[in-house]
Amino acid sequence: MASPVVRFRIDFADHAAVGPGKIALLEAVHASGSLSQAARNLGMSYRRAWLLIASLNASFRKPVARAVTGGRGGGGATLTEFGVELITSYRALDRDISSIAARHLRPIVKAVTKASRVKPAVARRSFAHKGI
Amino acid sequence: MASPVVRFRIDFADHAAVGPGKIALLEAVHASGSLSQAARNLGMSYRRAWLLIASLNASFRKPVARAVTGGRGGGGATLTEFGVELITSYRALDRDISSIAARHLRPIVKAVTKASRVKPAVARRSFAHKGI
């Protein structure tokens, strides 16, 4: 029986929200040391990646990332200590949420229909409204 | 200092997802005993409310709600035992998530900028991309 997957975002304030997209971007910057490479890896535009980082930097008193200059073809990006802390806290929360969700939702999970058992007409109706 | 608000949805399977909208609808049906009244209370169309309930009923082996006939102006809706269990499990998970989020995110919450401290230009950029 598959575990339920919980997708979440955190609203810290009206102007400060963090969800899986921003965290994935921070992780990609951390791994590649470059905002443009991180954007490419995630299939998003450089502009969108830049705006997401700018939004994070405006949300908190400490920046999450900063530009690094120097070297040929320089112009990389690196996470600050706070940026790394944000990833770490989010992932720790993610792990705990998965674990308590599995516990709370056990009786519900048992009642999920198998996709193959859903009648085609019902499945069409259901898939048409996926994501609602 | 405000607590972070965690918004979440649960993907049980490709064809079975539950989020705050469906739970609010179930709660409104439970409170009003009527799908059309529940839809009105939530400002959604009857059609949309009906499709959400149909999607839930197709997601699980047990229905979450059923039509009730009888009485003048009859045609109400009532939650099944399973529908009530789904609300209860979701709300219990919600409470636990809020509590562990507050714990995990304490150092992050401390770093959130006060809205009044965000420069107008930055705020405009940030609000334009709210919800990303």
Side-chain angles (χ1 to χ4, degrees):
Chain A
M1 192 182 304
S3 290
V5 175
V6 180
R7 300 186 193 286
F8 66 95
R9 52 175 274 159
I10 306 151
D11 289 337
F12 289 99
D14 274 354
H15 62 290
V18 176
K22 285 175 180 168
I23 295 295
L25 177 60
L26 289 181
E27 287 171 335
V29 169
H30 198 42
S32 67
S34 155
L35 185 56
S36 55
Q37 186 59 51
R40 271 195 298 276
N41 292 353
L42 295 174
M44 70 170 68
S45 69
Y46 177 80
R47 180 183 149 77
R48 181 173 154 86
W50 189 91
L51 285 168
L52 289 174
I53 296 291
S55 157
L56 283 168
N57 282 345
S59 298
F60 301 103
R61 280 185 286 109
K62 316 174 204 180
V64 296
R66 56 172 57 103
V68 188
T69 52
R72 282 165 69 92
T78 186
L79 295 194
T80 61
E81 199 179 317
F82 178 69
V84 174
E85 188 183 18
L86 186 56
I87 295 178
T88 308
S89 301
Y90 185 94
R91 289 302 175 202
L93 177 59
D94 198 3
R95 276 192 301 277
D96 278 7
I97 286 179
S98 295
S99 136
I100 60 170
R103 201 169 65 234
H104 275 299
L105 302 172
R106 201 165 294 136
I108 310 296
V109 167
K110 283 183 188 156
V112 174
T113 48
K114 292 190 174 45
S116 57
R117 289 181 53 199
V118 178
K119 290 177 197 153
V122 176
R124 264 200 307 280
R125 213 156 59 207
S126 174
F127 284 121
H129 298 275
K130 221 179 101 179
I132 281 179
Chain B
M1 191 182 305
S3 290
V5 175
V6 181
R7 300 186 193 283
F8 66 94
R9 51 175 275 162
I10 307 151
D11 290 336
F12 290 98
D14 274 354
H15 63 289
V18 176
K22 285 175 182 169
I23 294 295
L25 177 61
L26 289 180
E27 287 171 334
V29 169
H30 198 43
S32 68
S34 154
L35 185 56
S36 55
Q37 186 59 51
R40 271 194 298 276
N41 292 352
L42 296 173
M44 70 170 67
S45 69
Y46 178 80
R47 181 184 148 75
R48 180 172 156 85
W50 189 91
L51 285 167
L52 289 174
I53 296 290
S55 157
L56 282 168
N57 281 345
S59 298
F60 301 103
R61 281 185 283 108
K62 315 173 203 180
V64 294
R66 56 171 58 103
V68 188
T69 51
R72 283 165 69 92
T78 186
L79 295 194
T80 61
E81 198 179 319
F82 179 69
V84 174
E85 187 183 19
L86 186 56
I87 295 178
T88 309
S89 300
Y90 185 93
R91 289 302 174 202
L93 177 59
D94 198 3
R95 276 192 300 277
D96 278 8
I97 286 179
S98 295
S99 134
I100 60 170
R103 203 169 63 234
H104 275 298
L105 302 173
R106 201 165 293 137
I108 310 296
V109 167
K110 282 183 189 156
V112 174
T113 49
K114 293 190 172 45
S116 58
R117 290 181 52 200
V118 178
K119 290 178 198 152
V122 175
R124 265 201 306 280
R125 213 154 62 208
S126 174
F127 284 121
H129 296 276
K130 222 180 100 179
I132 282 178

